[in-house]
Amino acid sequence: MENHGRFRREVATWLADNLTGEFAGVRGLGGPGREHEAFEARLAWERHLAAAGWTCVGWPTQFGGRGLSLAEQVIFHEEYAASGAPARVSHLGEQLLGPTLIAFGTPEQQRRFLPPIRAVEQLWCQGYSEPGAGSDLAAVSTTARLEPGAGGDGGPGWILNGQKIWTSLAHVADWCFVVARTEPGSTRHHGLSYLLVPMDQPGVTVRPITQLTGTSEFNEVFFDDARTEAGLVVGEPGDGWRVAMGTLGFERGVSTLGQQIGFRRELDGIVAQARATGTIDDPVLRDDLARARIDLRVLRAHALRTLQREPGPDVAVGKLLWAGWHRRLGELAMRARGARGLTTGGDLDEWQRLLLFSRADTIYGGSDEIQRNIIAERVLGLPKEPRNTEERR
Ligand SMILES: Cc1cc2nc3c(=O)[nH]c(=O)nc-3n(C[C@H](O)[C@H](O)[C@H](O)COP(=O)(O)OP(=O)(O)OC[C@H]3O[C@@H](n4cnc5c(N)ncnc54)[C@H](O)[C@@H]3O)c2cc1C
């Protein structure tokens, strides 16, 4: 990273120069459990980033990206987090759907969808989980069938029925990438398709789910004869599992390093709280804060090493490490604040939101138990668990 000093300065200078004036107020907004904060202002900031070519920085230039190397992307995300710039609102399109379309989409799909993702003109959400399909995604039961005349232009189109759940940012999304069963009678990962579905239509209902924080970052999404064009299937119909797994492979990319700079800022804030309240004099808390700092260095070293390899079980190790670390950080925040952490002046403060939202860290993106299963099976070579009665026999 040492050879990229000029690039690092360019990013840092641009961010410092632009997080001023009308954008000065967005600094630090939208962290864990605070996704509701200043949404419109953060959207405007992201469009400003896009206009200067600072969105989708890792996409190849022929797809409208900046074509940054891995090292440069890491630097960009680190400087973004270090500058205090707000949490992103368009990350599902930029980090998940965009790379999926680049890898699996048709030229027509790429031409139609990549530019508005890059410009932050279309927001996306991820329609994978269902009430009966979370860790076991192959149990998806939302259906889609191709019908003549169901497309917007009078041509054939897909008609979707079913329910998704825990759909982050569905309430602000224009489009959803949906895993649906398109081959009647198919089971498990066979017969699924990866469909691009517009959210603004009569067949789609979004119902917010209130979280521990009192806000609603995620939602239930109901498809009742929802429609999308026949051509909006990514990959072949029936091959959606492969595409869906491809998307998951992009989920923990280089932005993890930026996330860790955000973690460091949170830890620094907690140390400042401990000084302010006097809890810093507690030797057990001091020890735990020091350990948290050391573990953060380990997280960084692990993430850097993982990025240089093909995605594999290392990703599961990294997810387990950061999710547990961040959950413990939420608890440290409360200990540092002493009695103040237990009271609210009517609304939760930043640290209380951190504690409550960080309970979700060990669930989304694959729960701790699932990561341990991956490590057990793929690293330690332990036998797979039986999944149902049939397999158990
Ligand atoms: C904040 C947040 C945002 C999310 N955003 C989205 C989103 O945008 N789109 C989307 O599609 N989904 C989203 N999710 C859903 C997330 O992917 C699921 O919650 C996750 O996959 C777990 O599935 P589940 O909730 O159905 O729990 P289940 O799969 O029912 O698991 C329940 C418990 O059983 C354990 N368990 C399950 N299977 C096994 C096993 N084989 N071995 C051992 N233990 C097991 C799990 O670890 C967990 O503790 C989000 C979740 C959260 C918390």
Side-chain angles (χ1 to χ4, degrees), residues 276-347:
T277 57
T279 54
I280 196 80
D281 296 329
D282 172 355
V284 180
L285 180 63
R286 287 166 79 101
D287 189 51
D288 288 344
L289 288 170
R291 273 170 203 271
R293 174 54 64 88
I294 294 163
D295 288 347
L296 194 51
R297 300 298 292 253
V298 174
L299 284 185
R300 181 178 158 77
H302 183 271
L304 280 171
R305 204 175 54 177
T306 305
L307 282 173
Q308 285 154 16
R309 299 188 187 162
E310 284 297 302
D314 272 352
V315 174
V317 175
K319 170 77 208 315
L320 260 182
L321 286 176
W322 78 251
W325 185 91
H326 201 231
R327 234 172 92 140
R328 288 191 296 280
L329 189 76
E331 290 157 14
L332 273 179
M334 292 302 100
R335 286 168 56 199
R337 302 190 73 234
R340 279 191 221 174
L342 301 174
T343 56
T344 69
D347 195 13

Side-chain angles (χ1 to χ4, degrees), residues 38-338:
F39 180 82
E40 290 300 330
R42 284 159 56 213
L43 190 61
W45 158 252
E46 263 182 62
R47 290 184 175 150
H48 182 70
L49 268 185
W54 289 117
T55 51
C56 307
V57 292
W59 292 7
T61 47
Q62 71 266 35
F63 294 109
R66 214 174 172 108
L68 295 187
S69 68
L70 193 60
E72 289 169 329
Q73 291 177 59
V74 167
I75 289 170
F76 173 77
H77 289 290
E78 286 186 343
E79 290 303 320
Y80 187 90
S83 71
R88 300 287 303 269
V89 296
S90 65
H91 52 286
L92 294 167
E94 172 170 333
Q95 290 171 19
L96 299 189
L97 185 69
T100 304
L101 288 179
I102 290 169
F104 301 98
T106 61
E108 166 56 22
Q109 290 166 349
Q110 292 166 346
R111 269 194 301 274
R112 177 167 169 188
F113 292 109
L114 294 179
I117 293 176
R118 204 200 66 77
V120 198
E121 281 161 5
Q122 270 174 6
L123 299 182
W124 285 82
C125 61
Q126 179 181 24
Y128 277 27
S129 303
E130 297 183 1
S135 305
D136 186 14
L137 183 62
V140 155
S141 65
T142 292
T143 60
R145 60 178 201 280
L146 204 51
E147 294 262 322
D153 51 0
W158 297 98
I159 300 191
L160 287 92
N161 282 285
Q163 185 197 342
K164 296 292 173 180
I165 195 167
W166 322 125
T167 319
S168 296
L169 304 178
H171 53 294
V172 290
D174 304 292
W175 287 81
C176 185
F177 46 99
V178 176
V179 179
R181 198 160 289 288
T182 48
E183 289 176 13
S186 62
T187 55
R188 307 297 304 160
H189 51 278
H190 303 288
L192 299 170
S193 297
Y194 192 104
L195 300 173
L196 308 178
V197 181
M199 295 294 280
D200 185 13
Q201 58 166 311
V204 175
T205 307
V206 176
R207 202 156 70 189
I209 302 173
T210 305
Q211 289 165 253
L212 271 177
T213 48
T215 55
S216 300
E217 184 263 357
F218 56 36
N219 306 268
E220 292 176 288
V221 177
F222 299 89
F223 299 115
D224 297 298
D225 287 339
R227 291 167 182 233
T228 197
E229 293 161 39
L232 295 189
V233 54
V234 184
E236 292 300 315
D239 197 23
W241 182 258
R242 194 171 65 92
V243 183
M245 291 304 106
T247 303
L248 291 185
F250 299 122
E251 194 157 7
R252 291 281 150 213
V254 286
S255 57
T256 313
L257 273 306
Q259 177 197 39
Q260 290 175 14
I261 302 288
F263 289 175
R264 198 176 79 202
R265 287 177 47 233
E266 287 170 353
L267 179 56
D268 290 345
I270 291 168
V271 172
Q273 289 287 320
R275 286 188 203 286
T277 57
T279 54
I280 196 80
D281 296 329
D282 172 355
V284 180
L285 180 63
R286 287 166 79 101
D287 189 51
D288 288 344
L289 288 170
R291 273 170 203 271
R293 174 54 64 88
I294 294 163
D295 288 347
L296 194 51
R297 300 298 292 253
V298 174
L299 284 185
R300 181 178 158 77
H302 183 271
L304 280 171
R305 204 175 54 177
T306 305
L307 282 173
Q308 285 154 16
R309 299 188 187 162
E310 284 297 302
D314 272 352
V315 174
V317 175
K319 170 77 208 315
L320 260 182
L321 286 176
W322 78 251
W325 185 91
H326 201 231
R327 234 172 92 140
R328 288 191 296 280
L329 189 76
E331 290 157 14
L332 273 179
M334 292 302 100
R335 286 168 56 199
R337 302 190 73 234

